[in-house]
Each structure stands twice: as C-alpha cells, then as structure tokens.
Amino acid sequence: MNGLNRLAKESLPASQQVENAHLHDLKEQTNHPHEHENSAHPHVHSEESLRKIVNRLSRIEGHVRGIKTMVQHNSPCPDVLLQIAAVRGALDKVARIVLDEHLTECIARAAQEGNIEVELEQLKAALDRFLP
C-alpha cells in the first residue's frame, strides 16, 4: 500500500527531508497483483512519515521475534497470548497511520487532480481485503 512494500527492504535516512514518490505502474502490478490495478499514478509521502512507519514495523518485527523465543523456551501460554495481542494492537496502529496518511495525502491529492473515483475504488478494494 502506497509503497509500503518497499519499506521492509530499505531504511530511510532521517537526515534526508525530501518527498518520496512511489509510482504504481504496469511493471509493479505484475509483480504485486494486490497493488493498484489502474493506470500509473503518484503516491507521495514525506521521508519523515515513511521513516516513522518503518520504525514502528521494525519494533513489531522485534516483538514477534521475542514471541518466537518465548514459544521456544516454553513460556506460559497466557504470557504468549498477551504478547500476541500486543503485536496485533501495534499492527492495527500502523494500519491506522497508513490509512490516515492515505486519506490526508493520496485521496486529497486525487480529489484535487480530478481522479478521486479511481482512488476511492482502490481504497474500497484494499479495505475489503484488510477488514475481517
């Protein structure tokens, strides 16, 4: 979503304060069938915003490794379940941040550029897959 597939692969330098543009083109659609299905359009997010999301995901990743260690060391099941709940909560928070970013940046930009219908359809499709 909005180039977040790249976030796991790279860290964004904190000192760099430029806008980061992500184009979802035909090539990316082939490699990522869950991405946008219509014509190419830019998604622009600040380096600061992307860095915050990457940092949260890194903390979640570490937390999941901690849960794995707990299981390997036969920690009590209630303790493991509590930690899993914490990870779920953290992932939900990241999802809310990504959604807020998409609404305030991408949807607003699409409205200004006159292609709001395409963005809303893509958001609805993403939410259908995201929500239980």
Side-chain angles (χ1 to χ4, degrees):
M1 181 181 287
N2 298 339
L4 290 179
N5 55 340
R6 295 180 189 166
L7 294 179
K9 296 179 184 174
E10 59 186 75
S11 293
L12 299 171
S15 61
Q16 198 175 15
Q17 296 297 317
V18 297
E19 294 290 300
N20 196 15
H22 305 289
L23 295 176
H24 302 287
D25 58 17
L26 190 55
K27 179 181 174 192
E28 285 187 76
Q29 290 173 20
T30 303
N31 295 335
H32 302 91
H34 302 294
E35 293 290 331
H36 301 284
E37 293 147 1
N38 293 315
S39 63
H41 59 278
H43 283 264
V44 182
H45 303 281
S46 71
E47 292 290 329
E48 176 70 12
S49 173
L50 294 176
R51 185 183 56 79
K52 286 179 181 179
I53 293 169
V54 169
N55 287 343
R56 283 181 178 270
L57 290 171
S58 293
R59 284 193 300 272
I60 292 168
E61 184 180 30
H63 202 149
V64 170
R65 282 193 306 271
I67 295 170
K68 180 180 176 183
T69 300
M70 290 175 70
V71 170
Q72 290 170 332
H73 290 107
N74 264 340
S75 293
C77 294
D79 294 349
V80 173
L81 291 171
L82 183 63
Q83 294 307 311
I84 291 171
V87 168
R88 278 186 180 165
L91 280 171
D92 287 344
K93 178 65 176 170
V94 170
R96 284 191 295 272
I97 292 168
V98 170
L99 179 59
D100 181 62
E101 176 87 9
H102 186 65
L103 291 172
T104 59
E105 297 296 327
C106 303
I107 299 290
R109 188 176 308 105
Q112 291 175 346
E113 295 171 358
N115 60 346
I116 188 73
E117 295 82 16
V118 171
E119 283 292 328
L120 288 176
E121 286 304 315
Q122 292 172 350
L123 177 59
K124 288 177 188 177
L127 288 174
D128 284 344
R129 290 186 303 266
F130 175 74
L131 296 173

